[in-house]
């Protein structure tokens, strides 16, 4: 069927290299089957309430004067409110408003880290696309191999998500809280074939569907973390993971410390402690860890 399309450009805070974002998404296992990444563009689908739309983002600027061009694809015309919501979500997903100048100023004075910065110059964190997706993934991936978690995630996507075909390719969108909030625990168990995970999935979906995402993005970190940890199925690791990789809270380190420590040892001498690095990078320690782990 013929699709409607809307196009425009997204404002981006310098410094930004869209090629770095594409390279990150090319190797990001949790969503590897849900999008098409080329040398110049990313195309994937998203649920906005009950609407499934696809979006394509392409580079339209330079690293120092960045701009991203977008195209929205839909089966029905999109009103201004939906277009605005889509554009805001895409911008947040790609972290286009993150200002890394202060982080870069610190990193350039770090002789051990400077080569990492040079290699990944312009990289921004690409988040999970929605809070619902990362919350569900945080349940599915716990104590489970990646291929099994991905199979469970795809089962949720297939049963509850949306789909849209663009230029002959069908893109599937992970369901939103509007879809998953109607599912029972028994339905989740039937879908993912694991009763324990289905129980936690149900609790997390029900609780988060009633929470204000803006609060989680902007509240003092400890308050936001405590709110998440009060939800059955979300522990210390999951809360930190959701805040960091889903909501862009970069002021804390990732809770999964072993890979980070291993990466640190490849860059720094043993006498350089993590505590020292936390003091050096302050509120940008999350970005420091994001770069460090991507470099390795």
């Amino acid at each position: 069927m013929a699709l409607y399309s809307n196009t425009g450009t997204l404002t981006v805070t310098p410094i930004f290299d869209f090629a770095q974002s594409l390279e990150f998404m090319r190797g990001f296992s949790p969503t590897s089957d849900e999008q098409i990444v080329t040398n110049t563009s990313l195309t994937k689908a998203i649920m906005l309430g009950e609407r499934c739309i696809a979006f394509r983002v392409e580079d339209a600027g330079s690293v120092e004067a960045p701009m991203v061009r977008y195209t929205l694809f839909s089966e029905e015309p999109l009103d201004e409110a939906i277009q605005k919501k889509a554009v805001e979500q895409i911008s947040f997903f790609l972290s286009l408003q993150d200002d890394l100048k202060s982080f870069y100023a610190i990193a350039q004075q770090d002789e051990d880290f400077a080569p990492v910065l040079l290699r990944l110059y312009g990289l921004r964190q690409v988040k999970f696309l929605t809070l619902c997706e990362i919350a569900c993934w945080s349940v599915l991936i716990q104590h489970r191999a990646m291929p099994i978690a991905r199979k469970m995630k795809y089962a949720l996507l297939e049963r509850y998500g949306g789909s849209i075909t663009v230029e002959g390719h069908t893109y599937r969108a992970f369901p939103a809280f509007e879809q998953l909030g109607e599912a029972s625990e028994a339905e989740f168990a039937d879908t993912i074939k694991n009763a324990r995970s289905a129980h936690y999935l149900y609790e997390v979906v029900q609780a988060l569907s009633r929470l204000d995402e803006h609060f989680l993005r902007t509240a003092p970190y400890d308050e936001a973390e405590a709110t998440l940890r009060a939800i059955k199925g979300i522990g210390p690791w999951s809360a930190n993971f959701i805040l960091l990789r889903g909501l862009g809270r970069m002021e804390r380190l990732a809770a999964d410390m072993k890979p980070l420590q291993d990466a640190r040892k490849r860059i720094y001498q043993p006498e350089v402690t993590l505590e020292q690095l936390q003091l050096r990078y302050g509120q940008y320690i999350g970005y420091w860890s994001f770069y460090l782990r991507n470099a390795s």
Side-chain angles (χ1 to χ4, degrees):
M1 62 179 297
L3 296 177
Y4 295 88
S5 64
N6 301 88
T7 61
T9 56
L10 300 169
T11 303
V12 188
T13 301
I15 305 158
F16 174 69
D17 185 352
F18 190 54
Q20 295 277 12
S21 301
L22 295 174
E23 183 63 23
F24 177 84
M25 287 302 290
R26 197 173 284 113
F28 189 53
S29 295
T31 62
S32 59
D33 297 329
E34 299 165 24
Q35 65 247 335
I36 289 183
V37 183
T38 72
N39 290 333
T40 58
S41 69
L42 165 69
T43 309
K44 63 189 285 106
I46 183 174
M47 293 298 300
L48 294 175
E50 301 294 335
R51 301 286 297 274
C52 179
I53 70 169
F55 64 88
R56 177 171 296 146
V57 281
E58 302 170 276
D59 196 3
S62 64
V63 173
E64 302 297 336
M67 185 178 294
V68 172
R69 182 170 55 249
Y70 70 85
T71 304
L72 308 178
F73 302 95
S74 57
E75 294 179 351
E76 299 174 356
L78 300 177
D79 61 32
E80 288 187 11
I82 287 287
Q83 290 184 53
K84 181 180 178 182
K85 187 175 181 180
V87 167
E88 289 175 348
Q89 194 65 36
I90 294 166
S91 181
F92 187 70
F93 162 60
L94 295 173
S95 299
L96 297 184
Q97 301 308 313
D98 287 7
D99 189 343
L100 303 188
K101 293 187 185 71
S102 296
F103 166 57
Y104 277 19
I106 299 169
Q108 286 164 351
Q109 300 303 312
D110 183 344
E111 293 182 0
D112 296 309
F113 190 75
V116 172
L117 180 64
L118 182 63
R119 174 182 164 192
L120 298 177
Y121 190 78
L123 173 66
R124 299 279 177 87
Q125 176 178 219
V126 184
K127 306 177 183 76
F128 279 75
L129 186 52
T130 66
L131 174 60
C132 186
E133 181 178 11
I134 193 171
C136 293
W137 181 251
S138 75
V139 172
L140 300 177
I141 196 61
Q142 288 186 48
H143 311 297
R144 185 169 287 122
M146 178 75 71
I148 298 173
R150 284 177 56 187
K151 184 177 180 180
M152 288 178 165
K153 182 181 181 230
Y154 188 79
L156 290 172
L157 188 154
E158 192 171 40
R159 182 164 183 173
Y160 300 105
S163 66
I164 183 170
T165 300
V166 179
E167 298 167 353
H169 182 87
T170 298
Y171 296 88
R172 293 186 175 276
F174 193 81
F177 287 122
E178 285 86 346
Q179 290 81 51
L180 293 184
E182 299 298 320
S184 67
E185 184 177 329
E187 286 178 4
F188 281 148
D190 177 65
T191 303
I192 67 174
K193 311 303 180 187
N194 185 292
R196 180 179 175 83
S197 292
H199 174 64
Y200 291 132
L201 189 65
Y202 177 79
E203 295 288 341
V204 167
V205 166
Q206 290 298 313
L208 279 178
S209 64
R210 296 190 293 268
L211 270 180
D212 179 12
E213 182 175 337
H214 180 73
F215 165 80
L216 295 175
R217 292 189 191 185
T218 60
Y221 189 97
D222 289 340
E223 193 174 340
E225 182 183 30
T227 299
L228 287 174
R229 290 186 60 179
I231 299 171
K232 190 174 183 180
I234 296 181
W237 177 86
S238 298
N240 175 265
F241 179 61
I242 291 168
L243 288 168
L244 180 71
R245 293 288 293 115
L247 298 172
R249 303 296 300 261
M250 306 299 278
E251 61 265 49
R252 298 286 177 89
L253 285 170
D256 188 5
M257 294 300 291
K258 187 179 185 308
L260 179 61
Q261 292 282 26
D262 291 343
R264 179 183 64 86
K265 291 173 184 177
R266 286 191 285 270
I267 300 294
Y268 293 94
Q269 296 298 315
E271 59 267 23
V272 181
T273 67
L274 196 56
E275 290 73 20
Q276 290 172 328
L277 291 164
Q278 285 181 286
L279 285 173
R280 172 182 284 176
Y281 283 93
Q283 64 180 307
Y284 303 104
I285 192 65
Y287 252 112
W288 170 84
S289 66
F290 181 69
Y291 270 57
L292 193 69
R293 293 183 65 169
N294 275 280
S296 60

